Structure formats: C-alpha cells, structure tokens
Amino acid sequence: IPFKQVENLSHESLIRRAASLVTDSSSTFLSQTTLALIDAITEYSKAVHTLIALQRRYLQSLGNLSPAEEDAIWQVIIGQRSEVSDRQDECKRFELTWVSAFKLCETAAEAAYTSGAEHASITVSTNMQVAESQVAEARKLSVDTDKKLAESKVMEVERVTQDVSSLHNNNDEEEVPEAYLRED
Amino acid sequence: IPFKQVENLSHESLIRRAASLVTDSSSTFLSQTTLALIDAITEYSKAVHTLIALQRRYLQSLGNLSPAEEDAIWQVIIGQRSEVSDRQDECKRFELTWVSAFKLCETAAEAAYTSGAEHASITVSTNMQVAESQVAEARKLSVDTDKKLAESKVMEVERVTQDVSSLHNNNDEEEVPEAYLRED
C-alpha cells in the first residue's frame, strides 16, 4: 500500500490528473459556449422572422390605417430592428467565445496527450467533433437568417421609394426614414 | 430572488464560470509541471555531481586498488552514467510538458478574457509569470549541470588516453573503455 501511494503521487500521475481536469473543464467550457451560440442564433432567427412579419403587416396596412396607427406599427418595427441588431451582436460575441473555446480544447487535447493522458485527450477531441457539428448546423440557420434580413432591407427600401411622396406632406414622420435607414 | 437565479443561469454567467474553471485547472496543471520540471532538474544535477565524485575517486585510486576493486567502482560509474542519462531524459520530457502547460495557460487566459472573465484571466497570467521565473532559475542549474557533465566527459577521455597502455596488458578490462565511450 505505501508503494501504491507513492505511485499515485508521482509527478507523472499528478500531471496526468491535472491534464484530465483541464480537458474536463475545457469540454464544459466548450459545451456552454456551444449552447450559448446555438441559442443566440435561434433568437436572432426568431427576431428576424418577427421583423419580417411586422414589415409585411405594415406594407399591407399602408393607406388603410390612420397616421397614428401607422406610426404605432412603425415604432414597433424600429424596436424590432434594434432587437435584431442586438441579437446579431450577441451571435458575433458568442461566435468569438466559441472559437476561443474550441482552440482551447485543441490545446488542452495536445497538452493531455503530451502528459500521457491519452484517454482525456481522446475524450475532449470527441466532444470537439460533437460541438463542431452542432455549430455547423446552427450556422446554416444563421446564414439563412442573414439572407432573410437582407431581403427585408430590400423590402424596406422599396417601401421608402414608393412612399416617399406621402411622407413629404407629414412633418411628424419626416425623420423616420432617416432613423430607419441609419442601420443599413 | 428568482431574478437573481435567472441572472446566475445566463449564458454569459455560465460561460464565465466555465472559463474560470479552465483557468483554475490550467494553473494547477502548470504548477504540477513546474514542480516536476524543477525536481527533475534537481535530480539531474545531483546525479551529475555523484558521477563526477565517482570519477574523481576512480582517477585517484588508479594503481592503488586491485583490478577487482577498480572494476567494482567502474561498474558503479557505468550505473551512474545511465542514471544521469535517465535524469536527462526526464528533464527533456518534463520540459516538453511544461511548455505545453504554459501554452495552455496562455490560451486559457485569452479564452477567459474573451468570455468576460477578466479576473480569471489576470490570475492565470500571474501564475504563469511565477512559474516562468521559477523555471528560469531551474534552467540556470540545468545549463550549469550540462557544462559539468561535458567536463566530466573530457576528464574521462583524458583518463582513457593516459591509461590506455595499462589496459592493453589486462584482457579482463580491455572492453571497458569502449563501453564507457559508447555514451559520449
């Protein structure tokens, strides 16, 4: 038993254990950032869908609503566009964090391998593959959402072009298209 | 209280915690490899000092001892040179592990910073500085020991040159200098 204790306290053994702790915590870090990134992309996609629905409603209602009602929808659209922008920023932020977590796992896998903790190295590599395929799926949704957002901007430009004469006669709404276009 | 719980479970907060776990475990890993490397260098240095002491004793005793006694010391020298070689290999191995632990800490510090865990990032950076200065000190000892080992080899070559004629008359010891020089 004393021999076994010495064996467990050898530098090699302590280093292997420490390396395993690093690969475990790196895996946890990667899975947290993966979940965050996937959630952020989902929320961004939802926000863009809501924006598009609001824009459609606004376009359909043009001419059928009072200026006050139109203005109310307009304010909601502005709010929603700001929400989309926030969600997009969040995606970019979590994308950076995810990439740095992924690199960290790579380094941890190498360090574990160098330390003789091959099993820990393999485990973290497997987790990286899973995370990568999950994020690849989410990125498809993100690309699709970017496309929809670009289309929604085209839709808005068309509306502004069609509608610009009516706005000239209304001082209250004159600054709205400028504020709206600011984000393009 | 429910609001606080939600705050604690935000993605940002979970990521920061996970990043802190990574910097903590990376720091542990680095300190384990630092201790291992310093111990290995110390052991290497001790082994070289023992080797040199044995060589001196051997040189001083040449001509004063019986062939059997001389051979006994000679066997101890061979054993000690193999011990030195093992210790040197151990130093190289722990040096690689240490470098990989240091790189890992760099990556962990960056990842923590990206995740908003600035405090964790600073802590691991401080630990890295401490480890680096400890290892720099140990490396001086290592360089010094390498020099001593090189000198001990010169000493051996001189001995073999001086002593080569006496060995020609003794069949039992004829292969010894060859076996000895094999490691140079």
Side-chain angles (χ1 to χ4, degrees), chain B residues 21-32:
Chain B
L21 281 180
V22 177
T23 54
D24 284 352
S25 58
S26 299
S27 290
T28 303
F29 181 48
L30 181 62
S31 73
Q32 291 294 355

Side-chain angles (χ1 to χ4, degrees), chain A residues 141-153:
Chain A
L141 176 62
S142 176
V143 168
D144 191 51
T145 307
D146 288 346
K147 228 179 271 174
K148 287 209 172 88
L149 183 62
E151 284 166 13
S152 83
K153 284 180 184 175

Side-chain angles (χ1 to χ4, degrees), chain A residues 11-12 14-15 18-19 21-22 25-26 28-29 32-33 35-36 39 90 93-94 96-97 100 103-104 107-108 111 114-115, chain B residues 11-12 14-15 18-19 21-22 25-26 28-29 32-33 35-36 39 90 93-94 96-97 100 103-104 107-108 111 114-115:
Chain A
H11 284 305
E12 279 85 357
L14 290 169
I15 287 173
L21 281 179
V22 177
S25 58
S26 299
T28 303
F29 181 48
Q32 292 293 356
T33 57
L35 287 172
D39 266 13
E90 198 178 56
R93 215 165 60 240
F94 284 137
L96 284 178
T97 314
S100 94
K103 277 187 199 160
L104 181 68
T107 316
T114 310
S115 313
Chain B
H11 284 307
E12 278 86 357
L14 290 169
I15 287 173
L21 281 180
V22 177
S25 58
S26 299
T28 303
F29 181 48
Q32 291 294 355
T33 57
L35 287 173
D39 267 12
E90 198 178 57
R93 213 166 61 242
F94 283 138
L96 285 178
T97 315
S100 96
K103 278 189 198 160
L104 181 68
T107 316
T114 310
S115 313

Side-chain angles (χ1 to χ4, degrees), chain A residues 29-180:
Chain A
F29 181 48
L30 182 61
S31 72
Q32 292 293 356
T33 57
T34 303
L35 287 172
L37 179 56
I38 291 171
D39 266 13
I41 291 172
T42 309
E43 290 303 316
Y44 166 52
S45 172
K46 277 189 202 163
V48 168
H49 277 96
T50 305
L51 176 66
I52 290 169
L54 285 168
Q55 282 180 331
R56 289 218 175 106
R57 201 173 132 202
Y58 182 72
L59 288 176
Q60 281 161 6
S61 64
L62 274 176
N64 300 330
L65 298 169
S66 71
E69 283 168 327
E70 240 179 59
D71 189 55
I73 300 184
W74 184 253
Q75 290 306 323
V76 174
I77 288 177
I78 289 175
Q80 188 60 26
R81 199 172 267 278
S82 150
E83 170 79 10
V84 165
S85 172
D86 289 350
R87 292 297 166 194
Q88 224 173 359
D89 289 349
E90 198 178 56
C91 287
K92 282 176 199 160
R93 215 165 60 240
F94 284 137
E95 175 74 34
L96 284 178
T97 314
W98 188 83
V99 169
S100 94
F102 195 83
K103 277 187 199 160
L104 181 68
C105 284
E106 271 179 336
T107 316
E110 281 169 24
Y113 190 83
T114 310
S115 313
E118 287 91 357
H119 183 70
S121 178
I122 292 165
T123 305
V124 70
S125 299
T126 308
N127 290 338
M128 285 165 71
Q129 282 169 17
V130 172
E132 205 167 29
S133 71
Q134 284 173 333
V135 165
E137 205 55 46
R139 274 176 182 152
K140 280 185 203 161
L141 176 62
S142 176
V143 168
D144 191 51
T145 307
D146 288 346
K147 228 179 271 174
K148 287 209 172 88
L149 183 62
E151 284 166 13
S152 83
K153 284 180 184 175
V154 171
M155 204 196 286
E156 271 314 303
V157 172
E158 281 170 2
R159 187 203 62 75
V160 171
T161 315
Q162 285 170 13
D163 208 40
V164 77
S165 57
S166 76
L167 287 163
H168 272 292
N169 303 326
N170 189 327
N171 281 331
D172 285 349
E173 285 182 10
E174 196 153 14
E175 290 189 12
V176 168
E178 203 186 313
Y180 192 93

Side-chain angles (χ1 to χ4, degrees), chain B residues 4-168:
Chain B
K4 268 206 168 177
Q5 281 183 333
V6 169
E7 165 58 27
N8 286 342
L9 290 172
S10 75
H11 284 307
E12 278 86 357
S13 152
L14 290 169
I15 287 173
R16 271 199 306 277
R17 278 152 193 254
S20 298
L21 281 180
V22 177
T23 54
D24 284 352
S25 58
S26 299
S27 290
T28 303
F29 181 48
L30 181 62
S31 73
Q32 291 294 355
T33 57
T34 302
L35 287 173
L37 179 56
I38 291 172
D39 267 12
I41 291 172
T42 307
E43 291 301 317
Y44 166 51
S45 172
K46 276 189 203 164
V48 168
H49 277 96
T50 304
L51 176 66
I52 289 168
L54 286 168
Q55 282 181 331
R56 289 217 176 106
R57 202 173 132 200
Y58 183 71
L59 288 176
Q60 283 160 4
S61 64
L62 274 177
N64 300 328
L65 298 169
S66 71
E69 282 169 327
E70 238 179 64
D71 189 56
I73 300 185
W74 184 254
Q75 290 307 320
V76 175
I77 288 177
I78 290 176
Q80 188 60 26
R81 199 172 266 281
S82 148
E83 170 79 9
V84 165
S85 172
D86 289 351
R87 294 295 166 195
Q88 222 173 1
D89 289 350
E90 198 178 57
C91 286
K92 283 177 198 159
R93 213 166 61 242
F94 283 138
E95 175 74 35
L96 285 178
T97 315
W98 188 84
V99 168
S100 96
F102 195 83
K103 278 189 198 160
L104 181 68
C105 284
E106 270 179 336
T107 316
E110 280 170 23
Y113 190 83
T114 310
S115 313
E118 287 90 358
H119 183 71
S121 178
I122 292 165
T123 304
V124 71
S125 299
T126 307
N127 290 337
M128 284 164 71
Q129 282 168 16
V130 172
E132 206 167 29
S133 70
Q134 285 173 333
V135 165
E137 205 54 45
R139 274 177 183 151
K140 280 185 203 160
L141 177 62
S142 176
V143 167
D144 191 51
T145 306
D146 287 345
K147 228 177 271 174
K148 287 210 173 88
L149 183 62
E151 284 165 13
S152 83
K153 284 179 185 177
V154 171
M155 203 196 287
E156 271 315 303
V157 171
E158 282 169 2
R159 186 201 63 76
V160 170
T161 315
Q162 285 168 12
D163 207 40
V164 77
S165 58
S166 77
L167 289 161
H168 271 293

